[in-house]
Amino acid sequence: MSTMMKAMRFVGDLDDDFYRDERQRDVWNEASAVGLQSILWAVFVGSAVLPWVAGRTGAWISLALLITALLGSVITIVYANSLNVDVYALSNYNRPRVVISIVLYLVAAVGIMARLKFDSYQDSSTWVGALVGGIVGGGLAIVGVKLHQLRSKRREAAEEVL
């Protein structure tokens, strides 16, 4: 077992006797998913509001919240991938909750940039470039996930034939 997996098992306390009962484990996993999603929604809403109502200080707090949420999400994905669970295989971006979370994220990003006013963002052409880059980058990320899903489905179909 890798050092990363040992660390994650320690953080999640996965060797506790609590996890030996399958029903408890399933219920706890669902409760943890609900809790994680609740935290993410609170971070997205808070991050979208803070720069606009609390100025520069709110923007810094918003940035810290988004970075923390990103780190937690990456750890979750890395852990699942290390156990051969492809989190992108069944991802669906056409759901209202995904669209709302992306909108909240973008409102937060614009608020952070507007309040912190980094020198490179004061020129309007830079703002347009950042907006276009964000849209293109997000679009490419979605295309990448869709291609990954398609390859996964093809691989599973090929494995079933064998």
Side-chain angles (χ1 to χ4, degrees), residues 13 15-22 24-25 27-29:
D13 198 19
D15 294 320
D16 191 271
D17 288 338
F18 176 85
Y19 288 106
R20 291 179 200 236
D21 180 274
E22 284 301 313
Q24 277 185 191
R25 180 193 272 283
V27 169
W28 182 252
N29 287 341

Side-chain angles (χ1 to χ4, degrees), residues 48-143:
V49 171
L50 277 169
W52 303 108
V53 299
R56 256 181 103 70
T57 302
W60 283 113
I61 294 168
S62 179
L63 183 60
L65 288 171
L66 290 177
I67 290 170
T68 302
L70 175 66
L71 179 62
S73 297
V74 167
I75 289 170
T76 302
I77 291 167
V78 167
Y79 183 82
N81 284 338
S82 68
L83 295 173
N84 298 318
V85 173
D86 185 353
V87 297
Y88 298 110
L90 299 174
S91 296
N92 180 1
Y93 296 98
N94 297 326
R95 298 181 347 194
R97 67 187 307 275
V98 175
V99 173
I100 293 169
S101 66
I102 290 170
V103 168
L104 287 171
Y105 182 86
L106 291 175
V107 169
V110 169
I112 290 167
M113 289 188 292
R115 293 298 184 191
L116 296 182
K117 295 182 182 160
F118 298 120
D119 291 337
S120 63
Y121 289 112
Q122 291 184 5
D123 188 346
S124 63
S125 64
T126 304
W127 278 100
V128 172
L131 179 62
V132 170
I135 291 169
V136 170
L140 288 174
I142 290 170
V143 168

Side-chain angles (χ1 to χ4, degrees), residues 23-45:
R23 182 178 180 285
Q24 277 185 191
R25 180 193 272 283
D26 287 344
V27 169
W28 182 252
N29 287 341
E30 287 181 13
S32 295
V34 169
L36 174 65
Q37 291 298 317
S38 298
I39 290 169
L40 287 175
W41 278 106
V43 165
F44 286 156
V45 170

